[in-house]
Amino acid sequence: MSSTAGQVIRCKAAVAWEAGKPLVMEEVEVAPPQKMEVRLKILFTSLCHTDVYFWEAKGQTPLFPRIFGHEAGGIVESIGEGVTDLQPGDHVLPVFTGECKECRHCKSTESNMCDLLRINTDRGVMIEDGKTRFSKNGQPIYHFLGTSTFSEYTVVHVGCVAKINPDAPLEKVCVLSCGISTGLGATLNVARPTKGSTVAIFGLGAVGLAAAEGARISGASRIIGVDLNPNRFKDAKKFGVTEFVNPKDHDKPIQEVLAEMTDGGVDRSVECTGNVNAMISAFECVHDGWGVAVLVGVPNKDDAFKTHPVNLLNERTLKGTFFGNYKPRSDIPSVVEKYMNKELELDKFITHQIGFSEINKAFDLMLQGEGLRCIINMET
């Protein structure tokens, strides 16, 4: 066990004290892990749109002060009671959703939506005792998504920690703990295009480009990117995208445009925007008889998906996915191996690298729509 096991650790954390205000670098206290928890030393983290969305707190109940962050890589510092499959020194990726391995979902080969540990954006405390492990001068600081990686040390439920190959570079594979795996798995695990097939990707942000990467790995012959921002088209070629369609350039529904381009419709489509109209287009653009559309983007709570039932009766399939249908503990280590085997390319997703002290710059970059993933080195 480490020399700090069982003790409170004082370390740097970027604390959000209120909505939309710059994070403040603070010295915080991180309590030891309790039953079925582990304390991690975070080495690299990155910023995801979900962090920004809840930091802005425009569409949900605000919960502050809070430590955000959920895409990261680190090392186990100490373990709590009952933890048997992790040891101090293990290289890990904390994940915003979990796998208890005991519930119906975890025992099912078809689901990754753990009853105990599935994503909960409102909870700011640990499930073991309903308390936080972070504090400053006695004041509790809330967790985010059970991970809170914008801290040099964090405490996470063991079911939300994937043990990975210690040779894998954490500054690269940390991006697999959220968005990249979500898009990649949506294609590889859910859409499952066959070699030579045609795939449409709606939305060419990081998740959409990861979905395109999945289509490239699958051997799709045509990967059609759909986006309203023409500046994204050039970079998308690196991810295997072969053609680009901007709905603004056409005076007819984009599903009709795609159907004309592909002799009746694409074989597979993956929707990564969260815009309900894009979701409808993604479904209606797939070919009858065998077409499959997969929804990844999260819609607004009042949205309604509307399409004619005949589109389903004509043997089109509509599917949804959560975290690319990956089980965090069981499956993410194998995704890391895809990178180690040079089957999956990650470097092209990483467009910026900064030190922890500059973390607010990462927020600025994302708000300006610059780049895909900004890696934050916790030790600089």
Side-chain angles (χ1 to χ4, degrees), residues 145-182:
L145 298 183
T147 51
S148 291
T149 62
F150 294 165
S151 174
E152 292 177 318
Y153 287 86
T154 188
V155 177
V156 183
H157 191 284
V158 67
C160 299
V161 180
K163 179 181 175 181
I164 64 166
N165 184 341
D167 293 330
L170 290 171
E171 70 272 19
K172 309 285 189 191
V173 299
C174 64
V175 298
L176 290 173
S177 60
C178 181
I180 308 308
S181 292
T182 296

Side-chain angles (χ1 to χ4, degrees), residues 305-316:
F305 184 98
K306 297 178 181 178
T307 191
H308 199 285
V310 167
N311 288 321
L312 288 157
L313 294 174
N314 286 344
E315 300 181 2
R316 294 177 180 88

Side-chain angles (χ1 to χ4, degrees), residues 244-273:
F244 307 98
V245 179
N246 187 337
K248 290 180 181 176
D249 295 339
H250 301 273
D251 55 8
K252 64 176 74 171
I254 199 64
Q255 52 266 50
E256 293 181 20
V257 175
L258 291 167
E260 290 173 5
M261 290 172 61
T262 55
D263 191 23
V266 299
D267 301 308
R268 300 288 187 268
S269 70
V270 184
E271 192 288 322
C272 302
T273 72

Side-chain angles (χ1 to χ4, degrees), residues 82-368:
V83 175
T84 57
D85 54 353
L86 288 172
Q87 295 296 327
D90 285 344
H91 286 221
V92 296
L93 302 182
V95 184
F96 65 92
T97 188
E99 180 187 354
C100 73
K101 297 194 175 183
E102 299 294 331
C103 70
R104 290 174 301 164
H105 285 277
C106 286
K107 290 181 176 178
S108 166
T109 59
E110 299 180 51
S111 175
N112 66 340
M113 300 188 72
C114 176
D115 279 331
L116 179 68
L117 299 169
R118 74 172 63 176
I119 185 172
N120 184 322
T121 58
D122 294 328
R123 186 171 58 227
V125 295
M126 301 301 288
I127 60 174
E128 168 62 22
D129 58 4
K131 297 178 181 178
T132 74
R133 301 289 174 262
F134 297 110
S135 62
K136 179 172 176 62
N137 300 328
Q139 178 183 5
I141 299 174
Y142 294 109
H143 297 248
F144 179 63
L145 298 183
T147 51
S148 291
T149 62
F150 294 165
S151 174
E152 292 177 318
Y153 287 86
T154 188
V155 177
V156 183
H157 191 284
V158 67
C160 299
V161 180
K163 179 181 175 181
I164 64 166
N165 184 341
D167 293 330
L170 290 171
E171 70 272 19
K172 309 285 189 191
V173 299
C174 64
V175 298
L176 290 173
S177 60
C178 181
I180 308 308
S181 292
T182 296
L184 184 75
T187 303
L188 294 180
N189 300 335
V190 188
R192 304 179 75 166
T194 55
K195 189 173 182 178
S197 59
T198 300
V199 180
I201 308 292
F202 285 72
L204 298 176
V207 175
L209 293 174
E213 178 77 357
R216 182 192 68 78
I217 292 171
S218 300
S221 61
R222 296 176 70 185
I223 304 173
I224 304 170
V226 181
D227 203 290
L228 296 171
N229 183 354
N231 296 328
R232 289 179 161 177
F233 292 163
K234 181 182 174 184
D235 286 340
K237 292 179 182 177
K238 301 175 192 171
F239 299 84
V241 176
T242 58
E243 299 157 69
F244 307 98
V245 179
N246 187 337
K248 290 180 181 176
D249 295 339
H250 301 273
D251 55 8
K252 64 176 74 171
I254 199 64
Q255 52 266 50
E256 293 181 20
V257 175
L258 291 167
E260 290 173 5
M261 290 172 61
T262 55
D263 191 23
V266 299
D267 301 308
R268 300 288 187 268
S269 70
V270 184
E271 192 288 322
C272 302
T273 72
N275 179 291
V276 72
N277 293 317
M279 293 179 178
I280 295 167
S281 297
F283 174 57
E284 294 182 352
C285 80
V286 300
H287 207 289
D288 58 7
W290 61 79
V292 178
V294 178
L295 305 185
V296 181
V298 180
N300 293 321
K301 62 180 172 56
D302 297 326
D303 283 340
F305 184 98
K306 297 178 181 178
T307 191
H308 199 285
V310 167
N311 288 321
L312 288 157
L313 294 174
N314 286 344
E315 300 181 2
R316 294 177 180 88
T317 301
L318 178 64
K319 293 185 174 185
T321 179
F322 169 69
F323 193 47
N325 275 44
Y326 287 121
K327 293 178 185 281
R329 298 160 82 182
S330 301
D331 298 335
I332 292 304
S334 65
V335 182
V336 171
E337 291 309 306
K338 283 184 186 294
Y339 170 74
M340 297 298 284
N341 297 334
K342 296 185 166 49
E343 184 183 351
L344 166 64
E345 299 171 6
L346 290 179
D347 297 45
K348 57 195 177 186
F349 287 99
I350 299 167
T351 51
H352 298 84
Q353 299 181 53
I354 62 173
F356 189 30
S357 61
E358 301 178 286
I359 190 168
N360 287 303
K361 183 179 177 183
F363 279 75
D364 293 339
L365 289 167
M366 185 159 284
L367 291 168
Q368 292 160 11

